[in-house]
């Protein structure tokens, strides 16, 4: 792909992201986090330590971003802040010790959190749809 084509594709991607709801963006970040943690595990199994460290570093970047965007006026945000601190602490330990067991634990927890947010978003969308249908009757 030439540079002009790449820039057009990049603009298309950015527009798609700009059109997403906050819930969709959150799920996208969690999907990427779980993907990077999975990739880190595969790299560790293959003893590809450069890819392992890059994947863990990217996971830490995502967690840092999620933490930085919390609205601390809500009690759930304080709980998520503590969870993100735990993820960061454990991933730094994983990176230093190349510990697959701890990596799998964080990956499982991140996946469960993503699934919880996905379910909450679906429930919220269903409630909005029901309200909209009820308001038009």
């Amino acid at each position: 792909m030439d540079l002009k084509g790449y820039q057009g594709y990049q603009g298309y991607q950015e527009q798609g992201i700009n059109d997403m709801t906050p819930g969709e963006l959150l799920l996208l970040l969690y999907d990427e986090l779980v993907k990077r943690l999975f990739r880190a595990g595969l790299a560790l199994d293959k003893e590809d330590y450069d890819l392992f460290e890059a994947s863990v570093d990217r996971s830490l970047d995502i967690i840092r971003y999620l933490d930085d965007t919390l609205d601390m006026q809500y009690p759930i945000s304080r709980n998520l802040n503590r969870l993100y601190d735990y993820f960061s602490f454990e991933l730094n330990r994983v990176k230093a010790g190349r510990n697959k067991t701890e990596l799998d634990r964080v990956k499982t927890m991140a996946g469960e959190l993503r699934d919880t947010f996905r379910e909450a978003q679906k429930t919220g969308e269903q409630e909005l749809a029901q309200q909209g249908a009820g308001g038009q009757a």
Side-chain angles (χ1 to χ4, degrees), residues 65-72 76-78 80-81 84:
Y65 178 81
L66 288 167
D67 190 47
D68 288 347
T69 58
L70 289 173
D71 185 344
M72 297 310 282
I76 186 89
S77 295
R78 288 187 285 283
L80 286 169
N81 174 260
Y84 295 152

Side-chain angles (χ1 to χ4, degrees), residues 34-137:
V34 171
K35 181 175 88 175
R36 295 296 176 143
L37 293 171
F38 184 76
R39 183 178 291 163
L42 290 176
L44 190 56
D45 290 341
K46 293 179 180 179
E47 297 182 5
D48 183 346
Y49 300 121
D50 289 338
L51 179 59
F52 166 74
E53 289 185 11
S55 297
V56 172
D57 286 343
R58 185 66 179 125
S59 298
L60 287 165
D61 290 343
I62 293 168
I63 292 166
R64 198 170 305 112
Y65 178 81
L66 288 167
D67 190 47
D68 288 347
T69 58
L70 289 173
D71 185 344
M72 297 310 282
Q73 73 178 336
Y74 300 104
I76 186 89
S77 295
R78 288 187 285 283
N79 293 336
L80 286 169
N81 174 260
R82 286 193 293 274
L83 187 59
Y84 295 152
D85 284 347
Y86 170 77
F87 285 171
S88 294
F89 176 78
E90 288 301 315
L91 286 176
N92 279 305
R93 285 184 52 210
V94 162
K95 187 176 166 187
R98 298 179 178 159
N99 186 328
K100 181 83 159 77
T101 303
E102 290 302 314
L103 175 63
D104 288 342
R105 179 175 291 131
V106 172
K107 181 175 59 176
T108 298
M109 292 174 70
E112 290 171 353
L113 192 56
R114 175 198 56 195
D115 294 344
T116 300
F117 277 116
R118 181 172 285 129
E119 191 59 36
Q121 183 181 9
K122 278 198 312 193
T123 301
E125 288 172 353
Q126 289 170 349
E127 289 175 2
L128 283 174
Q130 288 173 351
Q131 289 174 358
Q136 295 175 351

